[in-house]
């Protein structure tokens, strides 16, 4: 049984949680393969809203095994907090599996994330301050500590002592912060490790065997294509690879295991943090999208920047990820706008760019070239089939498919499960 990859096509917050939730109903394993608790989705658990940052949303289905795979960076305190919050609501968390190879976010990563952002001043990235970048930097520098180290106190203490010596020099000499104490940190982490030990396993092997047994695996990307470390709008990116290629490296599966790559795209675009955003709209349309779309970050509570759908970026995401279909979310938010616009190209120094520009300076200064489509006033929340949508909304969906050269197979018009329409022919 082949695996499916589900990824964000924009700068994150595309509504992947909703798409995952829908697919999880017919999936056995839902796998996070990159990022950490910089992601966030709100789930409704036993009538109460709960914010999850690390555990895949599939946890709410008793038949799903949620997996945190090798490529994720894990803050063990956050993982335990989420497991406890779920248990308190009667949800069984014993199925959660975490790779022994996943790297740990340590207290000095959180501190370094904060002080380096402060140090960068107006050049700051606007990170989530969860220690993500510093944890991945240590992984690449080969001085990271991993989940499996939590089960070997001697090794854990040895590694921590070496790395903390350097971190304390940086914290005290460069950033004028107090040094951190190794033994206290070790005791705290090892205690958490004892609780997490039953969940730590070889997740790559687990998933490989599951696929051989005909089980269905969903690889769920966090963040989005344009926040990818290699293919996004560097340096305003996250420190991992959300793209489809990252799903393989981050989960330990080979490319032949996957047969579909679903790209989730919001019907407009949002971005949190700094960085270029050619279709950003600071006028009434942007305010409409932000208010009606309730565009506030799940993790940081920051207001998201809003703008029109960008087909140049969508085509780029289709190429980079090898998208086989699109899941278009929040179409209902576009209701009530006079006209709706889609960016089809960029203009820079008199030249038109139909593809994502190869140099970041062009992207920074590019002006969006729009195609204007007729808008619609009707609210879409009640629609349950494509035919229920006003003709103008149907035209918009068809145009998105055409411009991306990828079919829209699902679209959502509200947060509930039954507010997802399947599209046979867009
Ligand atoms: P970091 O991932 O915390 O290092 O932040 C790097 C950039 O990625 C910042 O611009 C963040 O706002 C952005 N970012 C990280 N995670 C998310 C997410 O889940 N949604 C949207 N933006 C994110």
């Amino acid at each position: 049984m082949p695996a499916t990859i589900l990824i964000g096509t924009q700068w994150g917050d595309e509504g992947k949680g909703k798409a995952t939730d829908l697919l999880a109903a017919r999936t056995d394993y839902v796998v996070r393969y990159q990022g950490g608790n910089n992601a966030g989705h709100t789930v409704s658990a036993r009538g109460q809203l709960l914010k999850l940052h690390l555990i895949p949303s599939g946890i709410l289905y008793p038949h799903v095994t949620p997996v945190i795979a090798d490529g994720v960076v894990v803050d063990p305190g956050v993982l335990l907090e989420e497991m406890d919050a779920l248990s308190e609501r009667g949800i069984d968390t014993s199925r959660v599996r975490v790779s022994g190879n996943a790297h740990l976010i340590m207290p000095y990563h959180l501190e370094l994330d904060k002080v380096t952002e402060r140090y960068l001043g107006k050049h700051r990235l606007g990170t989530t301050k969860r220690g993500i970048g510093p944890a991945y930097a240590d992984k690449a520098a080969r001085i990271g500590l991993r989940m499996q180290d939590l089960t070997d106190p001697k090794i854990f203490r040895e590694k921590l002592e070496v790395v903390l010596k350097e971190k304390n020099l940086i914290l005290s000499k460069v950033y004028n912060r107090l040094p951190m104490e190794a033994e206290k940190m070790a005791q705290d982490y090892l205690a958490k490790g004892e609780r997490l030990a039953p969940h730590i396993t070889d997740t790559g092997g687990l998933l490989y065997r599951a696929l051989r047994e005909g089980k269905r695996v969903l690889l769920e990307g966090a963040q989005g294509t344009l926040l990818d470390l290699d293919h996004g709008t560097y340096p305003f990116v996250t420190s991992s690879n959300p793209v489809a290629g990252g799903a393989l490296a981050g989960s330990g599966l080979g490319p032949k295991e996957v047969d579909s790559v679903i790209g989730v795209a919001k019907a407009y675009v949002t971005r949190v943090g700094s960085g270029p955003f050619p279709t950003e709209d600071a006028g009434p349309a942007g305010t409409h999208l932000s208010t009606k779309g309730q565009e506030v970050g799940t993790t940081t509570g920051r207001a998201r920047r809003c703008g029109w759908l960008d087909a140049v970026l969508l085509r780029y995401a289709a190429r980079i990820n090898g998208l086989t279909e699109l899941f278009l979310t929040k179409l209902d938010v576009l209701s009530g706008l006079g006209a709706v616009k889609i960016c089809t190209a960029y203009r820079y120094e008199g030249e038109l760019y139909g593809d994502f520009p190869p140099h970041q300076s062009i992207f920074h200064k590019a002006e969006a070239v729009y195609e204007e489509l007729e808008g619609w006033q009707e609210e879409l929340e009640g629609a349950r089939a494509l035919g229920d949508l006003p003709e103008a909304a149907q035209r918009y969906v068809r145009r998105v498919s055409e411009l991306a050269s990828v079919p829209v197979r699902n679209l959502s018009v509200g947060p509930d499960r039954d507010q997802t329409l399947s599209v046979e022919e867009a």
Side-chain angles (χ1 to χ4, degrees):
M1 184 72 74
T4 296
I5 300 176
L6 183 129
I7 36 149
T9 58
Q10 297 158 345
W11 279 287
D13 310 317
E14 297 90 351
K16 294 180 293 291
K18 164 114 201 235
T20 308
D21 182 61
L22 193 86
L23 290 164
R26 45 192 158 90
T27 297
D28 302 295
Y29 292 78
V30 179
V31 185
R32 278 281 309 268
Y33 57 83
Q34 48 70 231
N37 57 313
N38 48 348
H41 46 250
T42 308
V43 293
S44 170
R46 305 277 147 97
Q48 283 176 293
L49 287 183
L50 189 62
K51 286 181 182 177
L52 294 180
H53 301 282
L54 204 49
I55 298 183
S57 39
I59 182 80
L60 297 185
Y61 289 98
H63 67 273
V64 167
T65 302
V67 175
I68 297 173
D70 314 58
V72 177
V73 284
V74 179
D75 184 327
V78 172
L79 179 54
L80 285 169
E81 267 170 36
E82 289 190 2
M83 285 169 58
D84 289 344
L86 287 160
S87 299
E88 276 166 28
R89 286 162 178 80
I91 293 155
D92 173 26
T93 56
S94 64
R95 295 161 289 137
V96 173
R97 292 290 168 269
V98 190
S99 169
N101 293 339
H103 278 247
L104 294 170
I105 297 179
M106 302 296 293
Y108 44 83
H109 292 138
L110 292 166
E111 193 63 13
L112 285 166
D113 204 355
K114 277 183 208 141
V115 290
T116 48
E117 278 282 276
R118 213 173 296 152
Y119 180 78
L120 285 170
K122 73 176 173 63
H123 298 291
R124 69 181 174 275
L125 304 176
T127 75
T128 60
K129 300 197 176 75
R130 300 294 193 267
I132 307 295
Y136 277 114
D138 280 0
K139 172 179 172 174
R142 292 156 297 181
I143 52 165
L145 280 91
R146 299 190 289 173
M147 285 303 295
Q148 57 184 277
D149 297 325
L150 289 176
T151 60
D152 188 334
K154 186 166 171 287
I155 289 282
F156 186 87
R157 284 195 166 87
E158 265 175 36
K159 288 186 177 176
L160 180 60
E161 204 159 303
V162 174
V163 71
L164 198 55
K165 216 179 264 175
E166 190 213 10
K167 299 297 177 198
N168 274 338
L169 279 175
I170 297 170
L171 284 170
S172 59
K173 304 274 187 229
V174 180
Y175 296 108
N176 206 19
R177 311 296 295 176
L178 288 174
M180 294 181 157
E181 206 206 301
E183 185 47 33
K184 234 167 96 184
M185 201 182 294
Q187 281 174 18
D188 176 36
Y189 269 63
L190 290 169
K192 288 173 177 150
E194 257 176 55
R195 284 192 60 199
L196 289 170
H199 302 273
I200 303 174
T201 190
D202 165 18
T203 53
L206 176 78
L207 296 172
Y208 181 81
R209 285 190 299 277
L211 287 165
R212 302 274 119 11
E213 287 164 14
K215 302 272 195 253
R216 281 155 302 192
V217 172
L218 177 66
L219 302 164
E220 176 196 29
Q223 289 86 46
T225 303
L226 296 161
L227 288 172
D228 186 275
L229 181 60
D230 291 293
H231 304 286
T233 48
Y234 190 90
F236 302 103
V237 293
T238 192
S239 298
S240 64
N241 290 110
V243 297
L248 304 176
S251 65
L253 292 175
K256 285 197 294 189
E257 309 289 356
V258 176
D259 81 336
S260 56
V261 185
I262 303 172
V264 184
K266 196 140 61 177
Y268 51 98
V269 177
T270 61
R271 172 164 208 177
V272 276
S274 321
F277 181 177
T279 63
E280 184 168 13
D281 190 297
T287 309
H288 170 106
L289 299 171
S290 149
T291 314
K292 192 162 176 152
Q294 298 182 359
E295 294 297 349
V296 177
T298 316
T299 302
T300 58
R302 289 182 289 178
R304 297 175 184 143
R305 301 154 64 193
C306 295
W308 298 106
L309 188 75
D310 187 333
V312 180
L313 296 182
L314 205 50
R315 280 195 292 271
Y316 179 67
R319 166 162 75 80
I320 291 284
N321 297 297
L323 296 183
T324 55
E325 62 184 271
L326 282 170
F327 193 123
L328 195 65
T329 61
K330 295 183 106 166
L331 186 67
D332 53 302
V333 175
L334 296 186
S335 292
L337 287 162
V340 282
K341 298 203 279 185
I342 303 179
C343 166
T344 53
Y346 303 138
R347 188 176 290 113
Y348 175 69
E349 291 189 338
E351 212 172 306
L352 273 187
Y353 291 83
D355 289 323
F356 188 59
H359 199 293
Q360 64 156 350
S361 300
I362 302 174
F363 187 66
H364 270 254
K365 294 175 196 149
E367 180 203 332
V369 177
Y370 290 108
E371 178 176 302
E372 210 168 284
L373 283 81
E374 187 195 334
W376 59 92
Q377 301 306 310
E378 301 89 331
E379 298 298 342
L380 309 184
E381 284 85 351
R384 294 294 175 270
L386 188 68
D388 296 342
L389 298 179
E391 188 48 44
Q394 293 189 38
R395 265 198 300 275
Y396 184 81
V397 175
R398 278 197 296 272
R399 192 66 187 131
V400 173
S401 280
E402 270 167 24
L403 287 167
S405 299
V406 180
V408 172
R409 288 275 177 247
N410 283 283
L411 63 90
S412 97
V413 292
D416 293 339
R417 277 185 190 157
D418 64 351
Q419 289 176 305
T420 302
L421 325 183
S422 84
V423 183
E424 283 317 315
E425 234 175 277

